Amino acid sequence: CGNPPPPRAGEGDFHINPATKYVVLIVREFGCQWGVASVTEQRLDAEQIGRILDDIMEVEFSFLHTESMALEVAALPADQQRFVLQWAKRVSSTNVQLAYEFASRAVTALARMEEEMISAWCLQAMDTYDRAGLHPAMEVIKDLEGFLEFGHLRASAALLEQVSPVLTPFIHGLSGRKLSLEEDTRAWTDGGVLYLPEMMARLDTEEENFQLYKAVATHLWAHTRYGTLNIDPQALFAPYEDERRALHWFHLLETLRLDNHLRREFPGLYRQMQQMERRLADESGSAALKALRGELELNAAMDSVAALRHLYDRPPPPLPCYAGGMDLHQAWQTRELRLQREKARFRDALRVLAEELQGDSREPLDRFDLRERNPGREASELPELELVVADQVMPVPEHVKQMMTSIQLDLTGIPEEYLVPAGEGEYDASLLEDEELDPDEVWGGTYHEEGAWFYDEWDFGRLHYRKNWCVLRELEQEAGDLGFYARTLDRYRGLVRSLHRTFEVLRGEDKVLRRQPQGEDIDIDAFVEALADMRAGMEMSDRVFSRMHKDERNIAVLFMVDMSGSTKGWINEAEREALVLLVESLQVLGDRYAIYGFSGWARKRCEVYRIKSFDEPLSDRVKEAIGGIEPKDYTRMGAPIRHFTRMLEEVEARTKLLITLSDGKPDDYDHYYRGEYGIEDTRQALFEARVAGIHPFCITIDREGADYLPHMYGRANYVVLDDVAKLPLKVSDIYRKITS
């Protein structure tokens, strides 16, 4: 499963299974459960295999018959028997009927495929079950011939799930609107999302197919950057009888026009694109494209519209291999909705800026002006615009800059009416805020980046991730009682003064650096060792000095606060008080910190609540948010941990901490998430955080925490408080210890 090898003897739990005479080693390290390991590689007979299959298929309830498949598996070598039984068990964790269909075809599959390909076959069936249900998954497992063909393609193909971690940052680094990547049956874009197929397999090697992915994605980005999607499709296609023919010609002309931009912007990538085209296109198609390039001069999208009138009656040549697809109707509809929303949000942002500028003055600010920062730019460059008031440049928040860029891409500029601050109640409130969308709509593709993220979830039964299984939304924590913060400080005023003194000592503390080549003092231990080396005939080390060094703290910490229903009452009160004391300590210390709550209800409604972000100063809003923390639903921890890991990865810091304040173990409305499944998913999410260089730590008041916390966090990465009243008193002290 891609995890480290099993531990040495003594690190796992062993027991003898008398039915199979196998030693079973179950290792709970790094989220991996190792299966059956034979000491003697002894083959099982049909009766033994039948008992195992009966258990896997739950025949007492499913009434499935395993006799014939047990006879088939019994004829296999011992290692192949073990392979079939392991995968049958893993598939059964998803669906018993699916496991039955796999086991009935396993012997045939082994005769025709490598074990690695059979594993991929099973995983694809389980992923299909997660995404589309039992019937489509059964089609995958029954279509062995189809998967054989698909498997041969996969051998040299690039897969979207594997290339997206590289492709997504590349696309985000390009100019223009920040685009997201999603999977679809074809490549196209609606102007906000780049849709790409699951697999690219047109070229001979995985690296070449990755480059083709990159070329297609770049061309789709160019649709959004250079005005291709700003053409009204109704006006474009009105003069033509055959819309499909007109669309093909327009797409081809735009591809040639965008090639010119890419040749200037990305000459290396453009050369690769042309090499791919020469390999994949037929001779006549290449000649036709070359002739068109010489015949036309296309600088703007309207040039393509004009050229279409002259070329429509000609037979269109095929599109280049990197052109992707085009859906102008859907892109135009998305553009209209985006324009309406961004106009409202931009003018409302100007209203906020105008109120800040106005201050105590009674003179209202009725409009802003624009100034271009890069007037000497190239024609293809996007203008960098600044907001100006009375010849003074205004500092603009980053999210407003992004809106300005997006508006420019859709309208080529920012119209005059956009520069007038919105009046009170001028727009529908739903346009100004993130829409409260039904999480089920995520799976229909009806919204993309309005506060929704997809996260995988670790299924310990199948030893594999459920892809895009959890939907998480980031919400603003509602304001509560501002007076709670002040009352807590007053209640613990003696402790607060003590914490201030303690943390002031920690800030920029002088530390002794030992074994230095030069310094203010002798390091006695190092000197004794060096002297012993010299007397033994070895070269004496020169690192025998010590010196004082002011250790500048470079720490970023994110506190994830359990807001599940089980924190109701005194626990919630203690959590809020602990946060107040932590905030006071961290303000003295100067460490960067963020505070988020988490809760949820099943996999499609995982929620995190923004109490304080890393860049946000301590303000009345943050204090009100702390006062407003209240119990909500359940404790599905895997998705929030993965979300917070993602956030911490974007922070520049030498030390990164993820500290959980919780009253219990993972739990959810989904019955299967309770118990071992939820613990293993949380453990895997914490392992992913450690791989990313983040140190998880848990502070809990669950007296049973010692039963599962060592498995999830490691033996030195948690603390159990036996009394909820100790939480406010201890949490700052615990933080000091783990960061010192």
Side-chain angles (χ1 to χ4, degrees), residues 345-455:
R345 292 182 177 183
F346 181 64
R347 290 190 57 206
D348 190 66
L350 294 187
R351 176 187 63 78
V352 173
L353 290 174
E355 288 175 356
E356 291 177 356
L357 279 175
Q358 184 179 347
D360 296 330
S361 172
R362 295 186 179 182
E363 287 294 325
L365 181 59
D366 56 2
R367 66 167 289 108
F368 286 77
D369 293 316
L370 291 175
R371 177 185 299 169
E372 188 173 335
R373 288 185 60 187
N374 54 343
R377 62 185 170 85
E378 297 287 334
S380 60
E381 288 184 46
L382 200 65
E384 294 182 35
L385 300 178
E386 298 174 323
L387 289 176
V388 178
V389 176
D391 290 330
Q392 297 294 317
V393 176
M394 285 291 303
V396 180
E398 188 59 34
H399 74 281
V400 178
K401 290 181 181 178
Q402 293 176 8
M403 276 193 283
M404 293 170 68
T405 297
S406 185
I407 294 166
Q408 286 178 267
L409 292 176
D410 286 331
L411 299 175
T412 69
I414 299 181
E416 290 291 323
E417 64 267 22
Y418 278 55
L419 299 174
V420 179
E424 192 67 34
E426 185 171 342
Y427 285 105
D428 184 349
S430 64
L431 294 173
L432 305 178
E433 301 174 0
D434 288 336
E435 301 172 61
E436 288 298 320
L437 299 167
D438 181 358
D440 289 335
E441 292 299 311
V442 172
W443 309 105
T446 54
Y447 72 89
H448 312 290
E449 52 195 31
E450 290 89 358
W453 283 267
F454 302 97
Y455 288 102

Side-chain angles (χ1 to χ4, degrees), residues 338-613:
R338 183 172 56 246
L339 283 172
Q340 184 182 13
R341 184 175 64 248
E342 288 183 343
K343 180 179 181 181
R345 292 182 177 183
F346 181 64
R347 290 190 57 206
D348 190 66
L350 294 187
R351 176 187 63 78
V352 173
L353 290 174
E355 288 175 356
E356 291 177 356
L357 279 175
Q358 184 179 347
D360 296 330
S361 172
R362 295 186 179 182
E363 287 294 325
L365 181 59
D366 56 2
R367 66 167 289 108
F368 286 77
D369 293 316
L370 291 175
R371 177 185 299 169
E372 188 173 335
R373 288 185 60 187
N374 54 343
R377 62 185 170 85
E378 297 287 334
S380 60
E381 288 184 46
L382 200 65
E384 294 182 35
L385 300 178
E386 298 174 323
L387 289 176
V388 178
V389 176
D391 290 330
Q392 297 294 317
V393 176
M394 285 291 303
V396 180
E398 188 59 34
H399 74 281
V400 178
K401 290 181 181 178
Q402 293 176 8
M403 276 193 283
M404 293 170 68
T405 297
S406 185
I407 294 166
Q408 286 178 267
L409 292 176
D410 286 331
L411 299 175
T412 69
I414 299 181
E416 290 291 323
E417 64 267 22
Y418 278 55
L419 299 174
V420 179
E424 192 67 34
E426 185 171 342
Y427 285 105
D428 184 349
S430 64
L431 294 173
L432 305 178
E433 301 174 0
D434 288 336
E435 301 172 61
E436 288 298 320
L437 299 167
D438 181 358
D440 289 335
E441 292 299 311
V442 172
W443 309 105
T446 54
Y447 72 89
H448 312 290
E449 52 195 31
E450 290 89 358
W453 283 267
F454 302 97
Y455 288 102
D456 296 346
E457 186 170 272
W458 178 256
D459 185 333
F460 80 105
R462 67 170 66 168
L463 298 181
H464 196 260
Y465 288 100
R466 291 175 178 262
K467 303 293 177 56
N468 291 333
W469 189 243
C470 294
V471 182
L472 182 143
R473 291 178 61 78
E474 188 175 308
L475 308 172
E476 192 77 26
Q477 171 59 37
E478 294 181 0
D481 179 13
L482 179 60
F484 175 83
Y485 196 96
R487 289 195 300 273
T488 302
L489 291 181
D490 183 61
R491 179 179 179 182
Y492 294 99
R493 54 185 177 274
L495 178 59
V496 170
R497 286 194 294 270
S498 174
L499 289 173
H500 281 190
R501 288 193 296 271
T502 302
F503 281 85
E504 281 170 356
V505 171
L506 278 178
R507 185 177 55 195
E509 183 182 31
D510 283 341
K511 293 192 176 181
V512 177
L513 297 182
R514 302 188 181 279
R515 301 182 186 278
Q516 300 298 304
Q518 55 187 1
E520 301 92 0
D521 206 348
I522 300 293
D523 184 343
I524 299 298
D525 292 339
F527 179 76
V528 169
E529 289 179 15
L531 190 61
D533 288 343
M534 184 187 71
R535 290 184 176 177
M538 294 184 289
E539 183 178 353
M540 182 175 176
S541 171
D542 63 345
R543 293 183 170 272
V544 294
F545 297 96
S546 64
R547 63 185 177 87
M548 300 300 292
H549 172 71
K550 185 172 285 294
D551 186 20
E552 297 294 337
R553 296 174 65 90
N554 187 9
I555 295 174
V557 57
L558 192 150
F559 295 93
M560 53 179 290
V561 183
D562 186 354
M563 292 172 57
S564 62
S566 59
T567 63
K568 188 175 182 179
W570 171 236
I571 298 174
N572 175 258
E573 183 88 359
E575 282 186 339
R576 292 187 294 153
E577 289 181 346
L579 285 176
V580 171
L581 300 182
L582 258 176
V583 165
E584 286 296 305
S585 302
L586 291 167
Q587 288 297 116
V588 172
L589 201 54
D591 290 352
R592 283 173 292 169
Y593 67 99
I595 305 171
Y596 284 78
F598 71 95
S599 182
W601 183 294
R603 67 185 182 91
K604 291 187 179 181
R605 215 188 82 185
C606 301
E607 295 168 342
V608 298
Y609 298 87
R610 184 169 52 252
I611 299 165
K612 180 189 177 301
S613 63

